[in-house]
Amino acid sequence: MSSQSTTPPTSLTSPKAPAIPPEGVAGGTPVVGLASEAVNDPVLTTKNLSVWYGTSLALKEISIDIPKHEITALIGPSGCGKSTLLRCFNRMNDLIPGARMEGTIRFEDTNLTDPTLDPVALRRRIGMVFQKPNPFPKSIYQNVAWGARINGYKGDMDELVERSLRRAALWDEVKNKLNRPGLDLSGGQQQRLCIARTLAVEPEVILMDEPCSALDPISTAKVEDLMDELKQDYTIVIVTHNMQQARRTSDMTACLMLDEAAGLGGQRIGVIAEFSPTERLFTNPRDSRTEAYITGRIG
Amino acid sequence: MNSSENFAPRLQSRRISGIVFGAACFLATLTGVFFLLILLGSVIVAATSRYTADGSPKPSISISQLPGEVSRLTTKFSSSQAPRAGFKAGIVGSLWLLVLVLLLAIPVGVGAAVYLEEFASPGRIRDLIQLNISNLAGVPSIVYGLLGLSLFVRAFGFKSIGLGETLWAGGLTLSLLVLPVVVIATREALRSVPPSLRQAALALGATKWQVVRDHVLPSAVPGVLTGTILAVSRAIGETAPLLMVGAAGAIFRLPKGPSSLYTALPVEIYNYAKLPNQSFRSIAAGGILILLAMLLTMNSVAIVIRNRYRVPSR
């Protein structure tokens, strides 16, 4: 499928954020050598974000803006910190002892790098889908309802479960077996169940950490279609190793790289090589490392 | 180029050494089973042997007498006359202890394990506590008996608050004894809950407590119960600490509540076994069989629980 049509998204909130500018020309005036794109109406604004694990720097001075109601892909070679960056947005790195952030990530009027920020409230609003489908060992219904319930959902739970499963394009496959264990579903269905579970808490942003890497091509296509559908209402950030997937699904792409100077000293520090509209990044990359990566010469 | 001259495959001897190793391991497996059978056989022979008053052997009891023997051993109190001696007080006392230990050790042990595994931040203090708990698991049971004697029975000399030689004192002592094992078993069970489950729940905006309550503990229940029941069933077989905290030798009343005096099955077995009269040996052996039956029942319960609640891993 192709989310990359030639018509830009007609979202009212971002009339000037065309996903695909004409070939070779940025939406605005491209400055040669500037590898990061300014984005209209960003949901998440990341400025000079650095992440440490203990004393070792993992991400250095990341500045990217995540556009609203679009899909942003994070690509790059293994170990360059794509997932680390993704997990900054919902503070999942807090689970790793010694992880520390510097710089700012603005989400509305809060700064996500503020150590006093309570991640519990944040994580309902910025949901996450993981690499390996990880449904709860409970019924399909409970998988969807649990997150809403623990967040004090006041509406009709049956209705919410149905709506979430419908949005995740899973309803027709499971509507007659809502009390069956979620783990009885196939891998692709499990991943859509995990998406439904995330949708049920009504987030604004959905983070996806290689959501299709454990799925077969048919299931992958279903998830990609779903992403295309969901971006009308949600902002999606996806980490993927699959460059075709990034190209098929995303509007903006950030290519992360390992810092070469630090690499000589044996350190693995991720930096942003380029952040551009997807079509341009893949057809006319401005950064030589990006070009080398997308053409398969490195990574 | 043919590279086979670089290799000396010695297929025959490699295959044989595999067989020899497998056989050795099989023999090692048999050792445990073999000695268990010897134990059971000798205890059964001892339990069914009968002696005349002057100690010379009589023909052992027949199959038809077995049910009568079992009911005598389980329904009679202890006695100085072998044909009227039984373990009623000990069986009831041990069941009381079992319940007390389950009620005391499981909440405290599981609580401690949940704190250490889910809430405590990793660091030196946690490591220190962990080391201490592992060491406590290796402390000989008689030491717990001494602790129970001075702490629970005598309250360090403050007679008025001491529990005396009651079921409370015995139950508390045995609870302390199994507590480290319960903590360790529970931590193992908690650790085997996949981190992806916790992450999935946290990513939905759950608090730590909600994750533990709704996902981690339910997933850990089989492991916790199995480990705990095995630990408690070991405690029920303990004799030494109960001798220290004053399980009575001969008692002719059933305990009315946890503040009653009591005796326990292993203590009664011990008391019968040290009597000089041959006839009491077979009584003691009968008691051992009853104790074994209790322990095996508990272990089967643990196995049933483990199988029933096994979470599908996929």
Short mmCIF file of all heavy atoms in Angstrom, two decimals, chain A residues 34-89:
data_model
loop_
_atom_site.label_atom_id
_atom_site.label_comp_id
_atom_site.label_asym_id
_atom_site.label_seq_id
_atom_site.Cartn_x
_atom_site.Cartn_y
_atom_site.Cartn_z
N LEU A 34 22.01 22.06 5.92
CA LEU A 34 21.12 21.97 7.08
C LEU A 34 20.37 20.65 6.97
O LEU A 34 19.63 20.41 6.04
CB LEU A 34 20.13 23.14 7.08
CG LEU A 34 19.07 23.06 8.17
CD1 LEU A 34 19.66 23.44 9.51
CD2 LEU A 34 17.88 23.91 7.85
N ALA A 35 20.58 19.78 7.94
CA ALA A 35 20.03 18.45 7.79
C ALA A 35 18.78 18.25 8.62
O ALA A 35 18.33 17.15 8.82
CB ALA A 35 21.09 17.42 8.19
N SER A 36 18.24 19.29 9.15
CA SER A 36 17.03 19.11 9.94
C SER A 36 15.95 20.05 9.45
O SER A 36 16.20 21.22 9.18
CB SER A 36 17.34 19.39 11.41
OG SER A 36 16.43 18.69 12.20
N GLU A 37 14.77 19.50 9.32
CA GLU A 37 13.69 20.21 8.68
C GLU A 37 12.84 20.92 9.72
O GLU A 37 12.51 20.35 10.76
CB GLU A 37 12.82 19.20 7.92
CG GLU A 37 11.80 19.81 7.03
CD GLU A 37 12.41 20.32 5.74
OE1 GLU A 37 13.61 20.05 5.49
OE2 GLU A 37 11.70 20.98 4.99
N ALA A 38 12.46 22.14 9.48
CA ALA A 38 11.50 22.80 10.33
C ALA A 38 10.12 22.27 9.99
O ALA A 38 9.82 22.00 8.84
CB ALA A 38 11.55 24.30 10.13
N VAL A 39 9.29 22.08 10.99
CA VAL A 39 8.01 21.44 10.79
C VAL A 39 6.93 22.38 11.30
O VAL A 39 7.09 23.00 12.35
CB VAL A 39 7.98 20.11 11.56
CG1 VAL A 39 6.57 19.62 11.76
CG2 VAL A 39 8.81 19.07 10.85
N ASN A 40 5.88 22.48 10.54
CA ASN A 40 4.76 23.29 11.01
C ASN A 40 3.92 22.50 12.02
O ASN A 40 3.73 21.31 11.85
CB ASN A 40 3.88 23.70 9.84
CG ASN A 40 4.59 24.68 8.94
OD1 ASN A 40 5.27 25.58 9.43
ND2 ASN A 40 4.44 24.49 7.64
N ASP A 41 3.43 23.20 13.02
CA ASP A 41 2.53 22.62 14.00
C ASP A 41 3.06 21.32 14.61
O ASP A 41 2.44 20.26 14.49
CB ASP A 41 1.16 22.34 13.34
CG ASP A 41 0.09 22.10 14.38
OD1 ASP A 41 0.35 22.40 15.57
OD2 ASP A 41 -0.98 21.60 14.01
N PRO A 42 4.23 21.37 15.21
CA PRO A 42 4.76 20.16 15.82
C PRO A 42 4.03 19.80 17.11
O PRO A 42 3.58 20.68 17.82
CB PRO A 42 6.22 20.52 16.10
CG PRO A 42 6.21 21.98 16.28
CD PRO A 42 5.09 22.53 15.43
N VAL A 43 3.92 18.49 17.37
CA VAL A 43 3.36 18.03 18.64
C VAL A 43 4.46 17.90 19.68
O VAL A 43 4.30 18.26 20.83
CB VAL A 43 2.66 16.67 18.44
CG1 VAL A 43 2.20 16.11 19.76
CG2 VAL A 43 1.50 16.81 17.50
N LEU A 44 5.57 17.37 19.21
CA LEU A 44 6.73 17.21 20.09
C LEU A 44 7.87 18.01 19.49
O LEU A 44 8.19 17.84 18.32
CB LEU A 44 7.11 15.73 20.19
CG LEU A 44 6.13 14.82 20.91
CD1 LEU A 44 6.30 13.38 20.45
CD2 LEU A 44 6.31 14.91 22.41
N THR A 45 8.44 18.87 20.31
CA THR A 45 9.56 19.67 19.84
C THR A 45 10.79 19.30 20.65
O THR A 45 10.85 19.55 21.84
CB THR A 45 9.26 21.17 20.01
OG1 THR A 45 7.99 21.43 19.46
CG2 THR A 45 10.31 22.01 19.33
N THR A 46 11.73 18.68 19.98
CA THR A 46 12.92 18.19 20.67
C THR A 46 14.08 19.14 20.38
O THR A 46 14.37 19.41 19.21
CB THR A 46 13.26 16.78 20.18
OG1 THR A 46 12.13 15.97 20.36
CG2 THR A 46 14.42 16.20 20.94
N LYS A 47 14.71 19.64 21.42
CA LYS A 47 15.82 20.57 21.23
C LYS A 47 17.04 20.10 22.00
O LYS A 47 16.99 19.93 23.21
CB LYS A 47 15.42 21.96 21.73
CG LYS A 47 14.60 22.74 20.73
CD LYS A 47 15.15 24.18 20.59
CE LYS A 47 14.49 24.87 19.42
NZ LYS A 47 13.03 24.97 19.61
N ASN A 48 18.13 19.88 21.28
CA ASN A 48 19.40 19.53 21.90
C ASN A 48 19.27 18.41 22.93
O ASN A 48 19.82 18.48 24.01
CB ASN A 48 20.02 20.76 22.58
CG ASN A 48 20.40 21.80 21.56
OD1 ASN A 48 20.82 21.46 20.45
ND2 ASN A 48 20.23 23.06 21.91
N LEU A 49 18.52 17.41 22.56
CA LEU A 49 18.30 16.30 23.49
C LEU A 49 19.51 15.37 23.49
O LEU A 49 19.91 14.84 22.45
CB LEU A 49 17.05 15.52 23.10
CG LEU A 49 16.77 14.28 23.94
CD1 LEU A 49 16.25 14.65 25.30
CD2 LEU A 49 15.80 13.36 23.22
N SER A 50 20.09 15.20 24.68
CA SER A 50 21.15 14.21 24.83
C SER A 50 20.71 13.20 25.87
O SER A 50 20.05 13.55 26.84
CB SER A 50 22.46 14.87 25.28
OG SER A 50 22.91 15.75 24.28
N VAL A 51 21.06 11.94 25.65
CA VAL A 51 20.67 10.89 26.59
C VAL A 51 21.92 10.14 27.03
O VAL A 51 22.75 9.77 26.21
CB VAL A 51 19.67 9.91 25.95
CG1 VAL A 51 19.26 8.83 26.95
CG2 VAL A 51 18.43 10.64 25.45
N TRP A 52 22.02 9.96 28.32
CA TRP A 52 23.11 9.17 28.88
C TRP A 52 22.58 7.88 29.49
O TRP A 52 21.49 7.87 30.07
CB TRP A 52 23.81 9.94 30.00
CG TRP A 52 24.85 10.90 29.57
CD1 TRP A 52 26.20 10.67 29.50
CD2 TRP A 52 24.66 12.26 29.18
NE1 TRP A 52 26.85 11.81 29.07
CE2 TRP A 52 25.94 12.80 28.87
CE3 TRP A 52 23.55 13.08 29.05
CZ2 TRP A 52 26.11 14.11 28.45
CZ3 TRP A 52 23.73 14.39 28.63
CH2 TRP A 52 25.00 14.89 28.33
N TYR A 53 23.34 6.81 29.33
CA TYR A 53 23.14 5.63 30.17
C TYR A 53 24.33 5.58 31.10
O TYR A 53 25.43 5.26 30.65
CB TYR A 53 23.06 4.36 29.33
CG TYR A 53 21.79 4.27 28.50
CD1 TYR A 53 21.85 4.05 27.13
CD2 TYR A 53 20.54 4.39 29.10
CE1 TYR A 53 20.69 3.97 26.37
CE2 TYR A 53 19.39 4.31 28.35
CZ TYR A 53 19.46 4.10 26.99
OH TYR A 53 18.32 4.01 26.25
N GLY A 54 24.11 5.90 32.36
CA GLY A 54 25.25 5.99 33.26
C GLY A 54 26.16 7.10 32.79
O GLY A 54 25.74 8.25 32.64
N THR A 55 27.41 6.77 32.51
CA THR A 55 28.34 7.80 32.08
C THR A 55 28.51 7.81 30.57
O THR A 55 29.23 8.66 30.03
CB THR A 55 29.73 7.58 32.71
OG1 THR A 55 30.14 6.24 32.41
CG2 THR A 55 29.67 7.76 34.22
N SER A 56 27.85 6.86 29.87
CA SER A 56 28.09 6.85 28.42
C SER A 56 26.95 7.55 27.69
O SER A 56 25.77 7.29 27.94
CB SER A 56 28.29 5.43 27.93
OG SER A 56 27.12 4.68 28.14
N LEU A 57 27.35 8.40 26.79
CA LEU A 57 26.39 9.17 26.00
C LEU A 57 25.81 8.26 24.92
O LEU A 57 26.54 7.59 24.20
CB LEU A 57 27.15 10.35 25.37
CG LEU A 57 26.36 11.39 24.59
CD1 LEU A 57 25.33 12.06 25.48
CD2 LEU A 57 27.31 12.44 24.01
N ALA A 58 24.49 8.23 24.82
CA ALA A 58 23.87 7.37 23.81
C ALA A 58 23.31 8.17 22.65
O ALA A 58 23.32 7.72 21.51
CB ALA A 58 22.77 6.53 24.45
N LEU A 59 22.80 9.36 22.94
CA LEU A 59 22.24 10.22 21.90
C LEU A 59 22.79 11.62 22.12
O LEU A 59 22.82 12.10 23.24
CB LEU A 59 20.72 10.29 22.01
CG LEU A 59 19.88 9.19 21.38
CD1 LEU A 59 18.41 9.47 21.64
CD2 LEU A 59 20.15 9.06 19.89
N LYS A 60 23.20 12.26 21.03
CA LYS A 60 23.82 13.57 21.21
C LYS A 60 23.05 14.64 20.46
O LYS A 60 22.87 14.55 19.24
CB LYS A 60 25.27 13.53 20.72
CG LYS A 60 26.08 14.76 21.14
CD LYS A 60 27.56 14.55 20.86
CE LYS A 60 27.94 15.20 19.53
NZ LYS A 60 29.35 14.98 19.20
N GLU A 61 22.59 15.62 21.21
CA GLU A 61 22.03 16.85 20.67
C GLU A 61 21.05 16.62 19.53
O GLU A 61 21.25 17.06 18.40
CB GLU A 61 23.17 17.79 20.25
CG GLU A 61 23.86 18.34 21.47
CD GLU A 61 25.18 19.02 21.16
OE1 GLU A 61 25.42 19.31 19.97
OE2 GLU A 61 25.96 19.25 22.09
N ILE A 62 20.00 15.90 19.85
CA ILE A 62 18.96 15.62 18.87
C ILE A 62 17.98 16.79 18.86
O ILE A 62 17.49 17.19 19.90
CB ILE A 62 18.20 14.34 19.25
CG1 ILE A 62 19.15 13.16 19.44
CG2 ILE A 62 17.10 14.04 18.23
CD1 ILE A 62 19.78 12.66 18.18
N SER A 63 17.74 17.33 17.68
CA SER A 63 16.72 18.38 17.56
C SER A 63 15.82 18.03 16.39
O SER A 63 16.19 18.23 15.23
CB SER A 63 17.38 19.75 17.30
OG SER A 63 18.20 20.10 18.40
N ILE A 64 14.66 17.45 16.71
CA ILE A 64 13.69 17.23 15.63
C ILE A 64 12.31 17.58 16.15
O ILE A 64 12.04 17.52 17.35
CB ILE A 64 13.68 15.78 15.09
CG1 ILE A 64 13.33 14.78 16.19
CG2 ILE A 64 14.98 15.41 14.44
CD1 ILE A 64 13.07 13.40 15.64
N ASP A 65 11.45 17.95 15.23
CA ASP A 65 10.07 18.26 15.58
C ASP A 65 9.18 17.19 14.98
O ASP A 65 9.31 16.84 13.81
CB ASP A 65 9.65 19.62 15.00
CG ASP A 65 10.41 20.75 15.66
OD1 ASP A 65 11.09 20.48 16.68
OD2 ASP A 65 10.33 21.88 15.16
N ILE A 66 8.27 16.69 15.79
CA ILE A 66 7.36 15.66 15.30
C ILE A 66 6.06 16.34 14.87
O ILE A 66 5.37 16.92 15.70
CB ILE A 66 7.07 14.62 16.40
CG1 ILE A 66 8.37 14.06 16.99
CG2 ILE A 66 6.17 13.50 15.87
CD1 ILE A 66 9.22 13.29 16.02
N PRO A 67 5.74 16.28 13.57
CA PRO A 67 4.55 16.98 13.09
C PRO A 67 3.26 16.29 13.50
O PRO A 67 3.20 15.06 13.57
CB PRO A 67 4.72 16.96 11.57
CG PRO A 67 5.56 15.77 11.30
CD PRO A 67 6.45 15.59 12.48
N LYS A 68 2.25 17.12 13.73
CA LYS A 68 0.96 16.61 14.19
C LYS A 68 0.24 15.85 13.07
O LYS A 68 0.28 16.27 11.91
CB LYS A 68 0.11 17.79 14.64
CG LYS A 68 -1.15 17.40 15.36
CD LYS A 68 -1.82 18.62 15.97
CE LYS A 68 -2.98 18.18 16.84
NZ LYS A 68 -3.53 19.31 17.58
N HIS A 69 -0.40 14.75 13.45
CA HIS A 69 -1.22 13.96 12.52
C HIS A 69 -0.46 13.55 11.26
O HIS A 69 -1.01 13.53 10.17
CB HIS A 69 -2.51 14.71 12.16
CG HIS A 69 -3.42 14.86 13.34
ND1 HIS A 69 -4.63 15.47 13.27
CD2 HIS A 69 -3.28 14.45 14.61
CE1 HIS A 69 -5.20 15.44 14.47
NE2 HIS A 69 -4.39 14.83 15.29
N GLU A 70 0.81 13.28 11.47
CA GLU A 70 1.59 12.70 10.38
C GLU A 70 2.37 11.54 10.97
O GLU A 70 2.39 11.32 12.18
CB GLU A 70 2.55 13.74 9.79
CG GLU A 70 1.81 14.80 8.99
CD GLU A 70 2.76 15.74 8.29
OE1 GLU A 70 3.95 15.39 8.14
OE2 GLU A 70 2.31 16.82 7.89
N ILE A 71 3.01 10.80 10.09
CA ILE A 71 3.81 9.68 10.55
C ILE A 71 5.28 10.05 10.38
O ILE A 71 5.70 10.43 9.29
CB ILE A 71 3.47 8.40 9.76
CG1 ILE A 71 2.01 8.03 9.98
CG2 ILE A 71 4.38 7.26 10.20
CD1 ILE A 71 1.55 6.82 9.22
N THR A 72 6.00 9.96 11.46
CA THR A 72 7.43 10.25 11.41
C THR A 72 8.18 8.94 11.62
O THR A 72 7.92 8.23 12.59
CB THR A 72 7.82 11.23 12.52
OG1 THR A 72 7.04 12.43 12.36
CG2 THR A 72 9.30 11.57 12.45
N ALA A 73 9.05 8.62 10.70
CA ALA A 73 9.83 7.38 10.83
C ALA A 73 11.22 7.71 11.36
O ALA A 73 11.81 8.73 10.99
CB ALA A 73 9.94 6.69 9.48
N LEU A 74 11.71 6.85 12.22
CA LEU A 74 13.10 6.95 12.67
C LEU A 74 13.84 5.75 12.09
O LEU A 74 13.48 4.61 12.38
CB LEU A 74 13.19 6.93 14.21
CG LEU A 74 12.35 7.96 14.98
CD1 LEU A 74 12.53 7.77 16.49
CD2 LEU A 74 12.75 9.37 14.59
N ILE A 75 14.81 6.03 11.25
CA ILE A 75 15.58 4.92 10.67
C ILE A 75 17.05 5.11 11.02
O ILE A 75 17.46 6.16 11.53
CB ILE A 75 15.42 4.83 9.14
CG1 ILE A 75 15.95 6.09 8.46
CG2 ILE A 75 13.97 4.59 8.76
CD1 ILE A 75 16.06 5.97 6.95
N GLY A 76 17.84 4.11 10.72
CA GLY A 76 19.27 4.18 11.00
C GLY A 76 19.80 2.83 11.38
O GLY A 76 19.03 1.91 11.67
N PRO A 77 21.11 2.68 11.36
CA PRO A 77 21.71 1.37 11.63
C PRO A 77 21.48 0.93 13.08
O PRO A 77 21.14 1.73 13.93
CB PRO A 77 23.20 1.59 11.36
CG PRO A 77 23.41 3.05 11.45
CD PRO A 77 22.12 3.70 11.04
N SER A 78 21.67 -0.35 13.34
CA SER A 78 21.47 -0.90 14.68
C SER A 78 22.33 -0.17 15.71
O SER A 78 23.47 0.18 15.44
CB SER A 78 21.84 -2.38 14.72
OG SER A 78 20.99 -3.09 13.88
N GLY A 79 21.76 0.06 16.86
CA GLY A 79 22.54 0.62 17.95
C GLY A 79 22.75 2.11 17.86
O GLY A 79 23.54 2.67 18.62
N CYS A 80 22.05 2.80 16.93
CA CYS A 80 22.28 4.22 16.80
C CYS A 80 21.33 5.02 17.68
O CYS A 80 21.38 6.23 17.70
CB CYS A 80 22.16 4.68 15.35
SG CYS A 80 20.47 4.62 14.77
N GLY A 81 20.47 4.36 18.43
CA GLY A 81 19.66 5.06 19.41
C GLY A 81 18.27 5.44 18.96
O GLY A 81 17.64 6.29 19.57
N LYS A 82 17.75 4.77 17.90
CA LYS A 82 16.40 5.07 17.46
C LYS A 82 15.39 4.78 18.56
O LYS A 82 14.54 5.60 18.88
CB LYS A 82 16.03 4.21 16.23
CG LYS A 82 16.96 4.33 15.06
CD LYS A 82 16.51 3.44 13.91
CE LYS A 82 16.57 1.95 14.19
NZ LYS A 82 17.92 1.40 14.31
N SER A 83 15.52 3.59 19.14
CA SER A 83 14.56 3.22 20.18
C SER A 83 14.75 4.08 21.43
O SER A 83 13.77 4.42 22.10
CB SER A 83 14.73 1.74 20.56
OG SER A 83 14.30 0.94 19.49
N THR A 84 15.99 4.41 21.72
CA THR A 84 16.24 5.28 22.86
C THR A 84 15.52 6.61 22.67
O THR A 84 14.87 7.11 23.60
CB THR A 84 17.76 5.53 23.01
OG1 THR A 84 18.39 4.28 23.26
CG2 THR A 84 18.05 6.49 24.14
N LEU A 85 15.60 7.16 21.47
CA LEU A 85 14.92 8.42 21.20
C LEU A 85 13.41 8.25 21.36
O LEU A 85 12.75 9.06 22.01
CB LEU A 85 15.28 8.90 19.79
CG LEU A 85 14.58 10.16 19.30
CD1 LEU A 85 14.84 11.32 20.25
CD2 LEU A 85 15.04 10.52 17.90
N LEU A 86 12.90 7.16 20.79
CA LEU A 86 11.45 6.93 20.87
C LEU A 86 11.00 6.85 22.33
O LEU A 86 9.97 7.40 22.71
CB LEU A 86 11.11 5.62 20.15
CG LEU A 86 9.64 5.39 19.86
CD1 LEU A 86 9.17 6.31 18.75
CD2 LEU A 86 9.38 3.94 19.50
N ARG A 87 11.81 6.16 23.15
CA ARG A 87 11.43 5.96 24.53
C ARG A 87 11.63 7.20 25.40
O ARG A 87 11.22 7.21 26.56
CB ARG A 87 12.21 4.77 25.12
CG ARG A 87 11.65 3.47 24.63
CD ARG A 87 12.65 2.35 24.70
NE ARG A 87 12.05 1.12 24.18
CZ ARG A 87 11.52 0.20 24.97
NH1 ARG A 87 11.57 0.33 26.27
NH2 ARG A 87 10.96 -0.86 24.45
N CYS A 88 12.28 8.22 24.84
CA CYS A 88 12.32 9.49 25.56
C CYS A 88 10.94 10.14 25.58
O CYS A 88 10.58 10.85 26.51
CB CYS A 88 13.30 10.46 24.90
SG CYS A 88 15.01 10.05 25.18
N PHE A 89 10.17 9.90 24.49
CA PHE A 89 8.91 10.61 24.34
C PHE A 89 7.85 10.15 25.34
O PHE A 89 6.91 10.89 25.61
CB PHE A 89 8.37 10.45 22.90
CG PHE A 89 9.25 11.09 21.86
CD1 PHE A 89 9.51 10.44 20.66
CD2 PHE A 89 9.82 12.33 22.08
CE1 PHE A 89 10.32 11.02 19.70
CE2 PHE A 89 10.62 12.92 21.11
CZ PHE A 89 10.89 12.27 19.92
#
